[in-house]
Amino acid sequence: MRPGAAALALSALVVLGSAPPAPAPPAPAPPLPARMADTGGGTQLITAVAPERASTTGTVTWWDREGGRWVERGSAPARFGAKGLAAGASRKQGTNTTPTGLYGLPYAFGIEAAPDGTAYPYRRVHQDSWWCQDNDSRSYNRWSEPRAADCRAAESEHLITYRAQYAHALVIGFNYERPVRGRGAGIFLHVNGRGATAGCVSVPEDAMRRILRWADPARRPHIAVGTRSGSTAVTRL
């Protein structure tokens, strides 16, 4: 073959449309809930995901299951504990860590009235509303109004004093059904304060209001708190 004849032949193939087809783009990854081991069995889900266990920021996303697939309904920047995240099953109270795991959302509460359209059970905060965190109290990890006699004020949260954070909130069912003393109490999804939390998950106020309007107790929403990878990855919950 004459010099350059091979190149001319290849050019002819390209012109005639005979060149090999370009590789197909990779298929998009399934939505996060579809990659999780468990989503709680309902048709609504909130995911709160941090890059790693030491992180104090991440993303909260809320999802609906419709037509057999999970559809994202909203997303917002999130804050976690000042000391990052810890496995919920071994977390210790007072460590300023956010417990990872999959949890129910028993009810909502707030200093302000529930946003219009809220369907979730919503409890208003009053002057004598407390959340008991006293390990020696029978009211441990429960709303107490008024504060129970065996629940020390120094070991509890006076809810009305957190006017920004508890303008609106959802109780996260961590250590809630059968509380283990010393594991932790008062873990909520609430409005942002000035920085990282003491163990809760927080979002901007507008996002919290949107979540309350979206959440439907009949659809049994849960919250999954975890990291992108590793032993506390949200996909492993």
Side-chain angles (χ1 to χ4, degrees):
M1 183 176 291
R2 300 190 311 276
L8 289 173
L10 179 59
S11 298
L13 287 173
V14 171
V15 171
L16 293 172
S18 301
L32 177 58
R35 292 180 274 127
M36 292 174 55
D38 188 7
T39 57
T43 57
Q44 285 190 328
L45 180 70
I46 299 171
T47 54
V49 183
E52 55 189 23
R53 289 180 64 159
S55 300
T56 60
T57 60
T59 305
V60 159
T61 307
W62 48 106
W63 310 79
D64 283 325
R65 187 163 178 81
E66 296 180 350
R69 59 189 295 268
W70 288 99
V71 180
E72 181 180 326
R73 290 303 183 205
S75 184
R79 294 173 179 168
F80 298 96
K83 298 296 184 181
L85 293 82
S90 57
R91 179 188 184 267
K92 302 297 182 184
Q93 185 165 325
T95 55
N96 288 338
T97 55
T98 298
T100 64
L102 178 67
Y103 305 108
L105 298 162
Y107 60 91
F109 69 91
I111 294 171
E112 298 180 10
D116 291 343
T118 299
Y120 231 75
Y122 192 91
R123 189 168 186 177
R124 289 296 296 274
V125 173
H126 301 110
Q127 184 62 39
D128 57 352
S129 303
W130 295 74
W131 196 275
C132 184
Q133 299 179 350
D134 188 337
N135 282 282
D136 296 326
S137 174
R138 289 172 294 178
S139 299
Y140 178 68
N141 203 19
R142 289 291 185 274
W143 183 297
S144 183
E145 187 176 328
R147 179 171 51 84
D150 69 344
C151 185
R152 292 168 289 175
E155 299 293 327
S156 304
E157 280 194 350
H158 192 196
L159 297 177
I160 204 164
T161 63
Y162 297 89
R163 293 190 173 274
Q165 295 93 325
Y166 298 158
H168 304 292
L170 270 166
V171 176
I172 294 177
F174 166 73
N175 202 29
Y176 189 78
E177 293 300 327
R178 297 179 180 85
V180 175
R181 311 289 166 157
R183 184 156 294 168
I187 301 298
F188 312 127
L189 173 62
H190 64 67
V191 177
N192 283 340
R194 293 183 177 180
T197 73
C200 295
V201 180
S202 73
V203 293
E205 183 174 8
D206 176 66
M208 192 69 233
R209 294 172 67 88
R210 288 165 60 199
I211 289 169
L212 288 176
R213 293 190 185 102
W214 158 85
D216 181 354
R219 300 183 66 179
R220 296 182 296 150
H222 287 68
I223 185 168
V225 184
T227 52
R228 289 180 188 165
S229 60
S231 62
T232 54
V234 71
T235 52
R236 300 181 64 174
L237 301 179

